[in-house]
Amino acid sequence: PPLIAHHGPAKVLAVCNQKGGVGKTTSTINLGAALAEIGRRVLLVDFDPQGALSVGLGIQPHHLDQTIYNVIMEREVDVENVIMRTNVADMDLLPSNIDLSAAEVQLVAEVGREHTLVRTLRPVMDRYDYVLVDCQPSLGLLTVNALAAADGVLIPLECEFFSLRGVALLIDTIEKVRERLNPKLEITGILATMYDPRTLHSREVMARVVEAFGEVVFDTVINRTVRFPETTVAGEPITSWAPRSSGAKAYRSLAREVIAR
Ligand code: ADP
Ligand code: MG
């Protein structure tokens, strides 16, 4: 990979959609791996109590003593000590597990509750080029924290008819966070996922998405393929599990688009 002498300050991208199963976690891992492949320093933040991002990197988060929950809720815990160096694609991980589900409730009573993730990441921002935050499938306080910490939002959108419905609410939330908490927040792009080029349905949904959102839709489209569930089982990104697959190529192309935006 090309050498980049200086890293940081990191661009923070929140990978967000309140619908589950649309490819947030898959896109976080594989975009991260594709960025790392071309020399970027990448931190992946698991911000979902399900811990699927951690599992996707081969880590069993339920056995960890400390996770992002401890960094957020306990002032004396240093983020540096909780970030894990994974040997997967040279990316670092701030892991999560079910403990994080308590944070949503506990944070409500705190002053500056929307800015806990910003504060958590601040000490390490100069070490990375990209921090990718894998959000949970809701628009609750954790997701608002991710949006308050982000420069951009990447919205994976499943090529299914009903998936368009939730996007208006998500964009509304992004606009509110921009007005009230984080003026620099932008929509980096909408990523069509689970695309099946053989079905008219997929092509129709894709046309609707482009019609509704125009330029903000990435040119890169992620096809539906069994390769992705396989990589989850392998605990590896597709870029190393099946480096020449069309899925790996698609996430590399997404990485180039993200860098260009
Ligand atoms: P989310 O984080 O939005 O809930 P995931 O990334 O976990 O979604 O994906 C949900 C499921 O779909 C996982 O089993 C994953 O392996 C699978 N998956 C993700 N992307 C694709 C794809 N392009 N084609 C087929 N299966 C996919
Ligand atoms: Mg997920």
Side-chain angles (χ1 to χ4, degrees), residues 19-26 28 46 48 50-53 134-137:
K19 192 165 183 287
V22 300
K24 290 182 290 296
T25 302
T26 302
T28 306
D46 193 347
D48 182 347
Q50 296 299 319
L53 177 67
D134 183 25
C135 294
Q136 68 175 156

Side-chain angles (χ1 to χ4, degrees), residues 145-167:
N145 262 269
L147 295 174
D151 299 283
V153 193
L154 193 153
I155 305 173
L157 191 65
E158 192 187 12
C159 286
E160 290 293 337
F161 185 72
F162 291 110
S163 64
L164 281 163
R165 285 190 173 176
V167 181

Side-chain angles (χ1 to χ4, degrees), residues 151-205:
D151 299 283
V153 193
L154 193 153
I155 305 173
L157 191 65
E158 192 187 12
C159 286
E160 290 293 337
F161 185 72
F162 291 110
S163 64
L164 281 163
R165 285 190 173 176
V167 181
L169 183 60
L170 174 56
I171 289 177
D172 199 49
T173 305
I174 292 168
E175 276 164 9
K176 280 186 185 143
V177 170
R178 185 193 297 131
E179 277 167 30
R180 298 175 194 176
L181 298 169
N182 178 13
K184 70 176 191 293
L185 184 63
E186 286 175 357
I187 298 178
T188 304
I190 295 176
L191 175 66
T193 63
M194 319 267 183
Y195 183 73
D196 185 345
R198 294 165 303 183
T199 70
L200 180 61
H201 178 72
S202 255
R203 294 199 300 273
E204 277 174 356
V205 172

Side-chain angles (χ1 to χ4, degrees), residues 178-258:
R178 185 193 297 131
E179 277 167 30
R180 298 175 194 176
L181 298 169
N182 178 13
K184 70 176 191 293
L185 184 63
E186 286 175 357
I187 298 178
T188 304
I190 295 176
L191 175 66
T193 63
M194 319 267 183
Y195 183 73
D196 185 345
R198 294 165 303 183
T199 70
L200 180 61
H201 178 72
S202 255
R203 294 199 300 273
E204 277 174 356
V205 172
M206 191 63 212
R208 289 276 304 276
V209 169
V210 172
E211 184 184 87
F213 303 106
E215 299 236 294
V216 82
V217 182
F218 288 110
D219 293 333
T220 305
V221 171
I222 310 298
N223 285 358
R224 188 185 288 278
T225 153
V226 70
R227 279 295 165 106
F228 287 105
E230 284 173 10
T231 61
T232 311
V233 177
E236 257 190 76
I238 197 160
T239 47
S240 59
W241 174 252
R244 279 178 295 277
S245 63
S246 61
K249 286 176 187 154
Y251 277 103
R252 288 188 193 111
S253 138
L254 177 66
R256 288 191 294 272
E257 281 196 76
V258 165

Side-chain angles (χ1 to χ4, degrees), residues 40-117:
R40 268 59 177 188
R41 291 282 297 128
V42 176
L43 173 66
L44 301 183
V45 177
D46 193 347
F47 215 35
D48 182 347
Q50 296 299 319
L53 177 67
S54 306
V55 172
L57 291 171
I59 286 156
Q60 295 309 317
H62 303 299
H63 304 305
L64 298 174
D65 285 337
Q66 290 192 319
T67 65
I68 190 166
Y69 170 79
N70 304 86
V71 190
I72 284 177
M73 300 309 300
E74 299 162 19
R75 222 162 260 279
E76 64 282 6
V77 177
D78 271 340
V79 66
E80 283 95 338
N81 297 334
V82 181
I83 288 176
M84 308 175 76
R85 293 243 43 173
T86 73
N87 43 24
V88 177
D90 204 26
M91 295 185 286
D92 288 358
L93 169 71
L94 187 49
S96 142
N97 64 21
I98 198 71
D99 292 349
L100 185 63
S101 59
E104 185 113 41
V105 180
Q106 290 166 349
L107 278 177
V108 169
E110 298 236 344
V111 176
R113 62 193 172 197
E114 292 98 349
H115 293 291
T116 44
L117 186 63

